[in-house]
Amino acid sequence: MNRDAHEHNARVREQFRIQAPTFTDTGFAASNLDWILEQLGPRPGEQALDVACGAGHLGRALAPHVGHVNALDLTPEMLVHGDRLARDAGLGNVCFAVGDATALPWLDAQFDLVVCRLTLHQVADPAAVVREMVRVTRPDGRIGITDIVLVPGSADTDTEVDAGIVERNTHLERLRDPSHGRTLHPAGIRRMLADAGATVASTSTRETRLDLEDWMARSDTPATAREEIRRQLDSELAGGPATGLRPGHDADGRTLTHLWATVVATPGPVPAA
Ligand SMILES: C[S@@+](CC[C@H](N)C(=O)[O-])C[C@H]1O[C@@H](n2cnc3c(N)ncnc32)[C@H](O)[C@@H]1O
């Protein structure tokens, strides 16, 4: 691992040590699980893997529908939290392990269903994570990637995304959470899957509105950074440059809206007719 990736992973561990207690089974972390399961179609007896599982929200949601779930993450505090929640729920088929998503400790073609939620935007090398997910999926298995994404443009190619939005979005996301990597475009996720040899079967998206103050509190964002984020979102609301965070207001105060995408793929090329 190169020095940049090593330093990035240290920032990730520090950030998610702080965030671990906020990954509860109510509120933000439990969002959109039913929608993701609909896209994945888990089957009885399947061997599943939740990559960068955090507190295992997706792996634990899959557990009643499959045979067994392995769940791996870089941050021990997230895993301890997830393991406790799995035990409290009486789930006996979820196994948590510390590890790096860019070097999965499993053989080729070992799993029927390999998933990853809300993490590609977080890692130093998302393409390496996608390659590893494809590698450990059986030829007849499925890969499911869910992440926050930038809103697709009309041509839906990642090269058409306005560089200014990417820059402003990265700046604000990193002010909030210094371990944020870069928010992708749905076409960027599809391209990484294709580059890893997979075939994309479907893409589905869902709007997810968040309370701005809660979003910043969960990552323990410093006061000066919170002030700068509020300032830039207010500027966007007043007609200033777009940040990709789509600010708004509701009865409780300022909001932002993330777009979530779930991309489902099979690990090889399209079978010949
Ligand atoms: C935003 S959280 C999402 C957690 C979980 N997937 C979920 O949907 O609730 C991002 C997670 O990615 C993990 N992570 C980041 N980089 C990683 C890497 N290279 N290998 C394994 N886990 C990683 C962090 O520790 C953190 O738990």
Side-chain angles (χ1 to χ4, degrees):
M1 184 185 297
N2 67 37
R3 193 171 154 182
D4 285 352
H6 192 74
E7 287 174 359
H8 184 84
N9 284 354
R11 280 195 294 276
V12 165
R13 281 196 204 89
E14 173 56 12
Q15 178 58 219
F16 286 95
R17 182 186 66 73
I18 294 168
Q19 287 197 36
T22 74
F23 274 70
T24 60
D25 278 353
T26 55
F28 167 79
S31 304
N32 294 332
L33 290 169
D34 288 345
W35 166 69
I36 298 171
L37 258 56
E38 271 170 37
Q39 315 304 313
L40 298 174
R43 297 167 198 156
E46 286 191 323
Q47 299 295 308
L49 172 64
D50 185 358
V51 174
C53 64
H57 282 78
L58 183 50
R60 289 185 289 111
L62 285 170
H65 306 282
V66 299
H68 183 265
V69 180
N70 274 102
L72 169 135
D73 198 276
L74 209 51
T75 308
E77 289 82 356
M78 293 290 268
L79 295 165
V80 168
H81 190 47
D83 190 40
R84 191 168 46 239
L85 291 169
R87 282 165 200 259
D88 289 350
L91 292 173
N93 63 342
V94 188
C95 179
F96 291 88
V98 178
D100 186 343
T102 64
L104 294 175
W106 285 287
L107 300 173
D108 295 357
Q110 233 184 298
F111 294 96
D112 302 293
L113 181 57
V114 178
V115 301
C116 181
R117 185 184 81 146
L118 296 179
T119 298
L120 285 194
H121 70 268
Q122 203 79 49
V123 297
D125 186 354
V129 175
V130 174
R131 281 195 298 274
E132 279 294 87
M133 291 179 72
V134 173
R135 179 184 68 76
V136 300
T137 306
R138 286 196 224 284
D140 59 349
R142 282 119 46 235
I143 300 135
I145 295 177
T146 300
D147 205 357
I148 55 170
V149 291
L150 291 170
V151 175
S154 53
D156 196 19
T157 64
D158 55 335
T159 47
E160 76 162 42
V161 179
D162 175 349
I165 291 185
V166 173
E167 194 182 317
R168 289 186 290 277
N169 185 269
T170 305
H171 176 62
L172 291 192
E173 290 274 7
R174 286 186 188 165
L175 275 178
R176 184 238 171 200
D177 162 3
S179 72
H180 183 96
R182 189 169 76 77
T183 304
L184 298 165
H185 185 274
I189 297 176
R190 287 195 291 268
R191 185 173 43 74
M192 284 180 199
L193 281 160
D195 288 350
T199 300
V200 172
S202 65
T203 303
S204 175
T205 57
R206 174 167 277 218
E207 303 281 349
T208 305
R209 186 183 260 215
L210 306 171
D211 178 84
L212 175 64
E213 297 304 322
D214 176 63
W215 183 63
M216 297 191 292
R218 277 191 275 114
S219 50
D220 199 21
T221 303
T224 49
R226 291 187 199 205
E227 206 37 61
E228 175 62 10
I229 293 169
R230 289 186 200 108
R231 196 188 64 71
Q232 291 207 25
L233 295 187
D234 284 347
S235 152
E236 179 172 355
L237 281 168
T243 61
L245 292 177
R246 295 184 291 157
H249 284 290
D250 67 12
D252 297 324
R254 295 180 182 90
T255 62
L256 60 132
T257 300
H258 275 149
L259 185 68
W260 291 35
T262 294
V263 182
V264 178
T266 53
V270 186

